[in-house]
Amino acid sequence: MAAHSGEMRKRTFVVTRFDPDVDQVPKTQSYEVACRPDWKVLDALNHIKDEVDPTLSHRWSCRMAVCGSCGMNVNGEPKLTCKTALSEYGDVVEVAPLANFPIVRDLVIEMDGFMEKFQAVKPWIITAKEKAAEQGTNLQSPEDLAAFKQFSMCINCMLCYAACPVVAKEPHFLGPAAIALGHRYNMDSRDEGAEERNEIFRGEGSVFHCSYANECSEVCPKGVDPAAAVNQAKLGAVVDWASSFVVKRSR
Amino acid sequence: MARPSHPEAMTPHRPGSTRTAPPQVPDDFWTRRRMLTYLLFDATGLPYMLVGLVALRVAFALGRGPEAWASLMEQFSHPIYVALHLLALVSVLFVGVRFFRLFPKAQPAKLGPAKPPPAPVIVIGLYGAWIGLTLALLVVLGGIWP
């Protein structure tokens, strides 16, 4: 194991606690932790869980910013805690569950609402006619791939939902990641489902709720730029609506 | 500390078996630099509305004849009107700069068979058009041409 240079630094972690069997509302609890200089926020939370208070609940998995499990609000900003160095912070670090989500317990949020929105945009390839396996694969040029690749890099960490001021006020809004994913399939040269998705984009959770605050893109840890996707999707939804008056629809 | 979001924000249609605490946002979210900038951007609607009302006054004064017009022009030298117009100018500059920064990435990846120009070209084009139109208006309204 590599040696850890530098001195330990004592920090106070102000962590949101909520026990659904006991608490009516969330509260905070402070923990004093001597932190190693190379620690991420997640390391400190794991230390608290392992050494100080085993009742603390938080989600994490891969520790390398790929699985998207460890998203939390750190000093008010949505962050992947496995990627966020403690050296960026001072002596007091506030860790709260992701904003705008119901809280299941402590730092664990309810994800089902997010999954419903995800499913709503039909995030799969839709084709008018199923292609038989013997007809071969669907070919795609590098240029076609480049049109949507950026939007397929999302790891579903939900930081964009925690940052979005519209999500905070409009519960029906599909939200950044779901729209980015729907737009990703609309841009896919193999897909024929844009009409269906554009109808969803114009529906109850409309893309037009977005006021382009750009917060989703500011906090995205993977550079997906959901704000770009949402605003491109707005144009796509309008063009699709307008063209429906002049071009007869197949479905 | 935190304050409530919309109570149904990100709430599933079918609630789970565990009781959950309502969604929250950080108490001071609106004072954070980026969010404050966004809220100021939203607030620029107020000076636009006030300038719109002033524009209606201008139109009515124009219809009432030279005396009403002269009286209104005199009122416009009042510090409140000067401040309002300065505020509107600052708002337009603020919104313009923000819009030009965010506009390129909102463009579709393809415009029919063609690709949109690179972002720097779009931004230079927007600023060029803005400055050009402003200069053209100044030339016409300033009586330099025609």
Side-chain angles (χ1 to χ4, degrees):
Chain A
M1 195 172 167
H4 297 283
S5 60
E7 287 183 13
M8 305 283 271
R9 177 173 169 182
K10 194 165 260 187
R11 285 187 169 88
T12 303
F13 289 85
V14 182
V15 180
T16 300
R17 302 299 309 269
F18 174 70
D19 181 345
D21 295 329
V22 178
D23 301 319
Q24 288 306 306
V25 289
K27 58 191 180 191
T28 56
Q29 186 170 350
S30 295
Y31 300 95
E32 294 249 322
V33 178
C35 303
R36 285 211 298 246
D38 59 341
W39 270 9
K40 309 292 184 189
V41 175
L42 181 63
D43 293 317
L45 291 174
N46 284 341
H47 175 84
I48 294 169
K49 171 92 176 166
D50 293 343
E51 309 290 340
V52 184
D53 184 353
T55 67
L56 180 67
S57 296
H58 64 289
R59 279 197 187 107
W60 65 280
S61 182
C62 74
R63 298 178 75 141
M64 52 185 185
V66 170
C67 73
S69 305
C70 67
M72 294 168 212
N73 268 40
V74 182
N75 280 6
E77 182 97 358
K79 295 276 186 187
L80 280 185
T81 53
C82 70
K83 197 186 175 191
T84 306
L86 273 175
S87 56
E88 292 174 24
Y89 298 94
D91 290 334
V92 179
V93 183
E94 288 180 28
V95 187
L98 282 179
N100 299 333
F101 286 87
I103 303 162
V104 174
R105 188 184 188 96
D106 298 341
L107 300 168
V108 179
I109 50 109
E110 165 72 86
M111 292 173 59
D112 286 1
F114 172 70
M115 298 312 293
E116 284 177 1
K117 290 177 193 296
F118 235 53
Q119 207 171 353
V121 300
K122 304 190 176 183
W124 52 82
I125 287 185
I126 298 170
T127 49
K129 200 175 174 186
E130 195 73 22
K131 193 176 177 182
E134 49 274 13
Q135 289 178 283
T137 53
N138 290 308
L139 296 177
Q140 190 165 56
S141 70
E143 195 185 22
D144 287 339
L145 175 66
F148 68 83
K149 188 179 177 188
Q150 175 192 2
F151 304 128
S152 66
M153 304 307 282
C154 176
I155 57 171
N156 310 335
C157 65
M158 298 170 282
L159 301 196
C160 51
Y161 283 78
C164 177
V166 181
V167 169
K169 293 291 167 201
E170 177 46 70
H172 299 299
F173 180 44
L174 285 166
I179 295 171
L181 188 64
H183 182 62
R184 168 251 178 274
Y185 280 96
N186 279 357
M187 299 296 292
D188 193 318
S189 58
R190 300 163 296 179
D191 183 79
E192 296 170 356
E195 283 174 23
E196 289 178 43
R197 287 190 207 94
N198 282 324
E199 211 165 293
I200 295 159
F201 285 169
R202 293 190 298 268
E204 194 183 30
S206 170
V207 291
F208 301 104
H209 288 304
C210 168
S211 54
Y212 211 171
N214 202 46
E215 280 297 291
C216 51
S217 296
E218 295 282 357
V219 301
C220 179
K222 305 304 281 186
V224 172
D225 203 349
V230 174
N231 285 281
Q232 290 175 21
K234 285 179 189 173
L235 183 63
V238 169
V239 170
D240 178 72
W241 171 79
S243 64
S244 70
F245 292 101
V246 286
V247 181
K248 195 181 173 189
R249 291 287 153 92
S250 54
R251 283 184 267 237
Chain B
M1 296 303 290
R3 63 170 71 184
S5 309
H6 191 290
E8 291 174 16
M10 300 309 291
T11 303
H13 286 106
R14 277 178 296 178
S17 53
T18 307
R19 186 173 71 85
T20 54
Q24 301 181 325
V25 288
D27 203 23
D28 61 344
F29 82 99
W30 63 275
T31 62
R32 290 164 190 277
R33 188 178 57 82
R34 287 198 318 261
M35 189 52 72
L36 195 58
T37 309
Y38 169 65
L39 292 175
L40 283 173
F41 164 73
D42 267 3
T44 54
L46 186 64
Y48 295 154
M49 187 190 76
L50 293 173
V51 166
L53 292 173
V54 169
L56 281 176
R57 278 202 70 193
V58 170
F60 281 121
L62 201 58
R64 286 201 193 109
E67 282 181 16
W69 179 259
S71 165
L72 184 67
M73 289 301 110
E74 199 180 315
Q75 286 176 41
F76 275 1
S77 60
H78 192 280
I80 287 184
Y81 275 107
V82 175
L84 173 65
H85 285 110
L86 278 174
L87 181 64
L89 177 65
V90 170
S91 299
V92 166
L93 291 172
F94 176 53
V95 170
V97 169
R98 187 179 187 275
F99 176 76
F100 294 168
R101 180 170 63 85
L102 295 176
F103 183 81
K105 69 178 186 178
Q107 302 315 298
K110 279 183 182 176
L111 296 166
K115 273 185 172 180
V121 175
I122 296 177
V123 172
I124 290 168
L126 287 169
Y127 275 104
W130 191 21
I131 293 166
L133 278 171
T134 305
L135 287 176
L137 277 171
L138 283 175
V139 165
V140 172
L141 296 175
I144 300 168
W145 185 85

